Amino acid sequence: MTCMGLHVRRASRIMTQRYDAAFRSVGLAPTQFTLLVAIHLLEPAAITQLAQELFTDQTTITRNIKLLEQRGLVAINPGDDRRIKLASLTVEGQAVLEQALPLWEQVQTEVKQHFGEEKWQTLLSLLAEVKTLS
Amino acid sequence: MTCMGLHVRRASRIMTQRYDAAFRSVGLAPTQFTLLVAIHLLEPAAITQLAQELFTDQTTITRNIKLLEQRGLVAINPGDDRRIKLASLTVEGQAVLEQALPLWEQVQTEVKQHFGEEKWQTLLSLLAEVKTLS
DNA sequence: TCATATAACATGTATATACATTTTATATGG
DNA sequence: CCATATAAAATGTATATACATGTTATATGA
């Protein structure tokens, strides 16, 4: 059964477990790592902006960011427009991100070696192209 | 940021939404459709067997199958080894699956056309190769 | 045969995810 | 200026997911 939906979900689960194992020592889930990076890049980042960048529902960002806030990794401040919530990394958030980055590089390298440079690039670009479906 | 983890998770979310929309009229989530198909193919299918086939944790199968059982789409019977639970489709499960199949074909066709035959095949085979990571 | 190991499944707990809807603040038209 | 539309975020609800652990039934070795 060559169902694209199944294939991509399955690959996502397997890959996620791989990254999850890598980040375990810093207590970050892969999604949380991604969110920290995104906040770092867009700082100060509005919820909606993060949702657009990550192709995730706004309500998902609201909930995921709350966990990071509760853990003290992210600070939330109101924007000039007080409907907007702006997220930025706390000092501790920056520290955790810096701890996580080499772990991320490690997995990336391992997975890249597993596939080989060419397949790695092909897979990345095809996955990126999935965005054009939405 | 060319993070493979992010790319595959994002593609998974987008693709899942696409299939989800397709199945909405029969009230199936993509995962549920996949599980119905797997049960149909392996019938009668043990929980652990389904987990292995789908590369999913056993506890996830236990929970997902329970929803299908409650809805009357799947029947669970003990095996000769009474630790084992065997799942099979009910008449209603078969009916729903038959309703869902053309919807599935439809999405498959649309997505395949979007990518083109060649990229579609490449993506499928690269995603399948992700299994070798685990 | 009985104690113990192991296999199959279930439960507790936690995160991720999205749709439908609600709340609150800003924008806009009359 | 006020009524209404719209934008941003939060809440209610439901599924999917996995790890750690518990429960129960079978297998195995002394």
Side-chain angles (χ1 to χ4, degrees):
Chain A
M1 183 175 65
T2 52
C3 176
M4 184 61 85
L6 171 58
H7 270 74
V8 69
R9 281 185 288 114
R10 185 163 51 193
S12 174
R13 286 198 307 272
I14 293 169
M15 199 71 83
T16 297
Q17 280 179 271
R18 186 85 176 206
Y19 282 78
D20 190 54
F23 292 134
R24 198 152 302 156
S25 63
V26 291
L28 285 181
T31 305
Q32 296 175 334
F33 171 77
T34 300
L35 192 46
L36 284 183
V37 171
I39 291 170
H40 174 68
L41 294 175
L42 300 172
E43 205 162 12
I47 306 269
T48 296
Q49 192 183 5
L50 289 166
Q52 283 168 354
E53 288 294 327
L54 299 174
F55 283 74
T56 304
D57 195 87
Q58 165 262 312
T59 65
T60 300
I61 300 291
T62 292
R63 275 154 171 148
N64 291 354
I65 222 170
K66 187 164 291 178
L67 293 174
L68 297 176
E69 190 191 7
Q70 286 169 351
R71 214 174 121 188
L73 305 184
V74 166
I76 309 285
N77 294 294
D80 289 341
D81 180 336
R82 283 176 314 175
R83 289 173 297 183
I84 294 180
K85 285 191 163 183
L86 295 171
S88 46
L89 298 186
T90 62
V91 173
E92 195 185 342
Q94 290 170 33
V96 168
L97 184 52
E98 271 169 34
Q99 278 186 295
L101 278 172
L103 304 176
W104 174 72
E105 302 243 28
Q106 178 77 23
V107 200
Q108 290 272 109
T109 301
E110 284 171 13
V111 176
K112 194 183 291 188
Q113 277 180 0
H114 180 86
F115 278 97
E117 187 70 30
E118 175 141 1
K119 284 182 179 176
W120 167 274
Q121 286 300 338
T122 305
L123 181 52
L124 267 182
S125 81
L126 286 173
L127 289 174
E129 206 170 334
V130 172
K131 285 189 290 193
T132 62
L133 270 176
S134 66
Chain B
M1 183 176 64
T2 52
C3 175
M4 184 60 85
L6 172 58
H7 271 73
V8 69
R9 280 186 290 113
R10 185 163 53 194
S12 174
R13 287 197 307 272
I14 293 169
M15 199 71 83
T16 296
Q17 279 179 271
R18 188 83 176 207
Y19 281 80
D20 191 55
F23 292 133
R24 198 153 302 156
S25 63
V26 290
L28 285 181
T31 304
Q32 297 175 334
F33 171 76
T34 299
L35 192 46
L36 284 184
V37 171
I39 291 171
H40 174 67
L41 293 176
L42 300 173
E43 203 163 13
I47 306 270
T48 298
Q49 191 184 5
L50 290 166
Q52 283 169 353
E53 289 293 328
L54 300 173
F55 281 77
T56 306
D57 196 86
Q58 166 261 311
T59 64
T60 300
I61 300 291
T62 292
R63 273 152 173 149
N64 291 355
I65 223 171
K66 188 164 293 177
L67 292 174
L68 297 177
E69 191 191 6
Q70 287 169 351
R71 215 175 119 189
L73 306 184
V74 166
I76 309 285
N77 294 293
D80 289 340
D81 179 337
R82 283 176 314 175
R83 290 173 298 183
I84 294 180
K85 285 189 163 184
L86 295 172
S88 45
L89 298 187
T90 62
V91 173
E92 196 184 341
Q94 290 170 33
V96 169
L97 184 52
E98 270 168 36
Q99 277 187 294
L101 278 172
L103 305 175
W104 173 72
E105 302 242 30
Q106 178 76 24
V107 199
Q108 290 272 109
T109 301
E110 283 170 14
V111 176
K112 193 183 293 188
Q113 277 180 1
H114 180 86
F115 278 97
E117 186 70 31
E118 175 141 0
K119 284 182 179 176
W120 167 273
Q121 286 300 339
T122 305
L123 181 51
L124 268 182
S125 80
L126 286 172
L127 290 174
E129 205 169 333
V130 173
K131 285 189 289 192
T132 64
L133 271 176
S134 63

